[in-house]
């Protein structure tokens, strides 16, 4: 079966992949280049529907056989390369993650793997070599359902194209409605799930039933509008914008206007030019290969973003590799006149072998023996965050069992609460050591910092119901502390430095800078939790490198292929970021007679921040301390941070704690 070749569609493919590459390589001016994926969705929906609804169309077996020959060879070749490169470049934890993502992606389930396995405490998404395969997962799941839907609609409609188009229109509206809902309540699922993306592919399919436009002014006008909508999206959207709801309309409609069947125009001539057609033809391989090339370079460079020269070289390399992939993998397999009943089992068997290989890598823990013993304790983010909770305690007033640490809860002389977010989490191993020595037991109350939940809240769409959760947690904690005078130590910690750059809002609508809003949130809390003989401590932000120095530290310990790097922090930058919020917390502590702990005073003597204590690199990532440090290291670090004076009996002469020892 042959169709009239549309070179302008190849040109649109070129626009899509160029937009994605500019975005991924951080080229200034294209923060919304990720919409290139949505352009691909519209193109795929159009071409697949045209194929399935043509006179004398394909059988389901023929369709799936062609899809396997089109998609799997280049994708599986790239996955094999990634698994091989990961052996030499990735830490065991990252290599195990790559193996599991390869197992999912080989069978078109990459979107669900990344939906379930990316988040706040997972490896930075931009360092996952197969992350880009989420979009192929969406397409492959669409291909499973779409032919059956079209076949059913065709039979029910008796072949009447208008009725088939109406069914497709219903799919577009239903899927777009799901997208709008999920963007509001669960943005992560909205991004990765096929149900909230299907409308983009279905809209492309709807174009098959659109009338051909022949009037030159209309043809030119729609073409220019389409290009404008795509360009506007690529320039003005950003990853922080809700997507793929209403923000996806412009690029999707823009792509649809350019695909709409038409007579030749200035736009189609431009899209059909030789360079555009060439990039369009290799666009699938270019999309497949550019991302792992970029990610593996960043692992080699210790997580660093490539310079402009390096980016240009990597993009050039991607085009060369994509050209070879297209010439020697895509084209030969596509030209094979394989019987569908043979193509399908061969494709499935090959995917099964690669999936099994990925699972074997994952089950082996990424083959930890590849790296030296010194690097094993930093072999993954999970390992660096691992800290078995020493005990648990039920707090009846809260109705929940919590992790407890320090002295045994049942016999401890003093009891405390460590209240905060992940920056309270990373203090728990340190307060465990301090509490044991000071006969004080703590329980960990998280994940909301104490400043949020009443008069101040954070707009945090990535976490559904975050505002309400923080409000209920704060109210519950206040009520509990009023009824529990035996809890005589309250330690308030949080990612204060990071929070000052988030979307903080006052409930009454008044405007103030973020530091002032955080201070207000704590200020309204303090009178409600104050009690006789109760110590309240405010912990200032822990100095953090704000960049991935951990990879560099591992480089020095491992025998992986890595570029030489430095584990020194940008001390001036740290001081400038911590300064305003630390000063605000210190003044609040002084005004309310609280203990104030400034970790920076001991960790950054003479404005030079340490990254090693007792010979151990202390950071898990750009802002969190490792929780799997040796007890001796935790003890030294607790003294450096000034945590011991908070629990010192009879310490009333000074409530400002800075790098003091007990």
């Amino acid at each position: 079966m042959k169709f009239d070749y549309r070179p302008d569609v190849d040109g649109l493919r070129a626009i899509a992949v160029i937009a994605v590459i500019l975005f991924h390589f951080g080229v200034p001016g294209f923060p919304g280049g990720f919409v290139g994926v949505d352009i691909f969705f519209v193109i795929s929906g159009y071409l697949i529907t045209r194929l399935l609804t043509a006179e004398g169309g394909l059988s389901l077996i023929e369709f799936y056989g062609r899809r396997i020959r089109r998609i799997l060879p280049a994708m599986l070749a790239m996955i094999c390369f990634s698994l091989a490169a990961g052996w030499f470049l990735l830490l065991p934890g990252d290599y195990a993650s790559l193996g599991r993502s390869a197992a999912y992606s080989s069978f078109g389930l990459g979107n669900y793997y990344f939906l379930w396995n990316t988040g706040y405490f997972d490896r930075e998404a931009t360092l996952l070599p197969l992350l880009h395969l989420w979009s192929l997962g969406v397409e492959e799941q669409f291909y499973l359902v779409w032919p059956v839907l079209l076949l059913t609609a065709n039979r029910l409609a008796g072949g009447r194209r208008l009725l088939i188009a109406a069914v497709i229109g219903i799919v577009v509206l239903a899927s777009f409605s799901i997208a709008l809902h999920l963007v509001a309540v669960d943005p992560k699922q909205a991004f990765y799930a096929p149900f909230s993306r299907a409308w983009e592919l279905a809209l492309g399919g709807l174009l098959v039933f659109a009338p051909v436009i022949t009037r030159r002014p209309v043809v030119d006008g729609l073409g220019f509008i389409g290009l404008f909508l795509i360009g506007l999206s690529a320039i003005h959207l950003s990853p922080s914008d809700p997507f793929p709801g209403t923000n996806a309309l412009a690029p999707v409609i823009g792509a649809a206007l350019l695909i709409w069947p038409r007579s030749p125009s200035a736009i189609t001539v431009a899209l059909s030019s030789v360079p555009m057609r060439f990039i369009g033809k290799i666009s699938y391989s270019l999309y497949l290969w550019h991302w792992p090339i970029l990610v593996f370079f960043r692992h080699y460079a210790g997580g660093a973003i490539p310079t402009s020269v390096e980016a240009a070289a990597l993009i050039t390399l991607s085009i060369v590799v994509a050209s070879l992939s297209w010439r020697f993998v895509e084209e030969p397999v596509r030209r094979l006149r394989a019987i569908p009943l043979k193509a399908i089992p061969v494709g499935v068997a090959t995917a099964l072998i690669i999936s099994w290989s990925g699972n074997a890598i994952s089950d082996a823990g990424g083959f930890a023996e590849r790296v030296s013993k010194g690097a094993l304790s930093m072999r993954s983010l999970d390992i660096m965050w691992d800290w078995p909770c020493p005990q648990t305690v039920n707090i009846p007033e809260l109705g929940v069992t919590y992790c407890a640490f320090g002295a045994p809860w049942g016999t401890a002389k003093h009891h405390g609460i460590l209240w905060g977010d992940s920056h309270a989490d990373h203090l728990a191993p340190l307060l465990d050591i301090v509490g044991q020595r000071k006969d004080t037991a703590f329980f960990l109350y998280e994940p909301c910092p104490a400043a949020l939940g009443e008069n101040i809240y954070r707009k945090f769409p990535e976490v559904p119901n975050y505002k309400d959760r923080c409000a209920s947690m704060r109210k519950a904690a206040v009520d509990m502390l009023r009824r529990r005078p035996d809890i005589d130590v309250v330690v308030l910690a949080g990612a204060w430095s990071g929070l000052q750059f988030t979307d903080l809002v006052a409930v009454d609508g008044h405007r103030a800078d973020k530091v002032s809003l955080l201070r207000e949130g704590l200020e309204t809390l303090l009178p409600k939790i104050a009690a006789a003989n109760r110590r309240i401590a405010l912990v200032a932000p822990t100095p953090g490198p704000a960049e991935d120095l951990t990879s560099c530290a591992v480089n020095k310990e491992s025998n992986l292929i890595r570029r030489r790097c430095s584990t020194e922090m940008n001390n001036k930058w740290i001081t400038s970021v911590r300064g305003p919020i630390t000063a605000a917390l210190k003044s609040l502590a002084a005004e309310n007679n609280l203990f104030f702990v400034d970790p920076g005073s001991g960790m950054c003597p003479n404005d030079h921040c340490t990254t090693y204590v007792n010979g151990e690199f202390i950071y898990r990532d750009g802002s969190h301390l490792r929780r799997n440090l040796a007890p001796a290291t935790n003890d030294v670090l607790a003294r450096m941070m000034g945590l011991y004076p908070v629990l010192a009996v009879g310490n009333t002469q000074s409530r400002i704690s800075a790098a003091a020892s007990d």
Side-chain angles (χ1 to χ4, degrees), residues 19-264:
V20 171
I21 289 175
L22 293 177
F23 168 68
H24 283 161
F25 280 89
V27 176
F30 297 94
F34 56 85
V35 301
V37 172
D38 303 272
I39 298 171
F40 276 128
F41 285 159
V42 181
I43 294 172
S44 295
Y46 169 71
L47 295 176
I48 293 305
T49 306
R50 189 172 74 151
L51 187 68
L52 289 166
T53 59
E55 202 170 319
L58 300 174
S59 69
L60 290 181
I61 295 296
E62 289 174 322
F63 171 78
Y64 291 126
R66 288 177 64 142
R67 287 296 88 200
I68 283 175
R69 296 206 314 272
R70 173 73 176 98
I71 294 173
L72 287 190
M75 182 186 77
L76 295 180
M78 182 275 298
I79 292 176
C80 286
F81 164 82
S82 297
L83 293 178
W87 177 274
F88 300 101
L89 286 163
L90 299 184
L91 289 170
D94 294 331
Y95 195 39
S97 172
L98 171 63
R100 187 55 58 90
S101 67
Y104 275 76
S105 298
S106 297
F107 280 99
L109 296 171
N111 55 325
Y112 280 105
Y113 174 82
F114 295 112
L115 171 63
W116 298 330
N117 294 279
T118 54
Y120 187 70
F121 278 114
D122 297 304
R123 165 62 83 183
E124 182 186 349
T126 54
L127 290 173
L128 300 175
L130 301 182
L131 177 67
H132 63 318
L133 295 188
W134 73 266
S135 64
L136 289 185
V138 169
E139 285 200 28
E140 290 174 56
Q141 291 150 33
F142 179 81
Y143 295 154
L144 287 176
V145 176
W146 195 241
V148 178
L149 177 65
L150 286 180
L151 181 63
T152 304
N154 185 54
R155 288 182 177 177
L156 292 176
R160 286 170 289 185
R161 292 173 65 84
L162 185 61
L163 291 179
I164 298 174
V167 172
I168 295 176
I170 291 171
V171 172
V172 172
L173 293 175
S175 174
F176 184 64
S177 299
I178 292 172
L180 291 177
H181 171 71
L182 287 179
V183 162
V185 301
D186 193 348
K188 187 177 177 184
Q189 184 174 186
F191 189 88
Y192 287 112
F195 318 108
S196 50
R197 294 284 189 168
W199 68 276
E200 303 177 30
L201 292 116
L203 184 62
L206 195 59
L207 294 171
V208 173
F209 303 89
V212 177
I213 303 172
T214 57
R215 294 182 60 190
R216 187 60 181 265
V218 177
V219 170
D220 288 339
L222 291 181
F224 282 113
I225 292 172
L227 281 180
F228 173 77
L229 290 175
I230 290 173
L232 186 69
S233 302
I235 293 170
H236 286 286
L237 286 178
S238 74
S240 62
D241 291 321
F243 206 84
T246 54
N247 284 322
L249 283 173
V252 169
I253 291 174
L257 292 178
L258 289 170
I259 295 172
W260 196 307
R262 69 189 65 214
S263 58

Side-chain angles (χ1 to χ4, degrees), residues 387-392 403-407 428-429 432 436 442:
W387 179 66
C389 182
Q391 54 184 311
T392 58
C403 173
F405 44 91
D432 181 38
Q436 290 177 42
F442 288 92

Side-chain angles (χ1 to χ4, degrees), residues 286-316:
L286 187 52
Y287 180 79
L288 286 175
W289 285 95
H290 84 280
W291 181 251
I293 286 173
L294 170 61
V295 170
F296 282 122
F297 172 82
R298 290 194 59 196
H299 278 284
Y300 163 75
I305 302 293
T307 65
S308 56
V309 173
E310 290 168 341
L314 292 171
I315 292 173
T316 302

Side-chain angles (χ1 to χ4, degrees), residues 364-387:
F367 295 102
E369 61 271 15
R370 293 179 303 117
V371 302
S372 63
K373 291 183 179 180
L376 286 180
S377 62
M378 295 187 287
R379 65 185 181 271
S380 74
L381 295 176
D382 288 338
I383 291 296
M384 288 185 283
W385 197 249
D386 183 45
W387 179 66

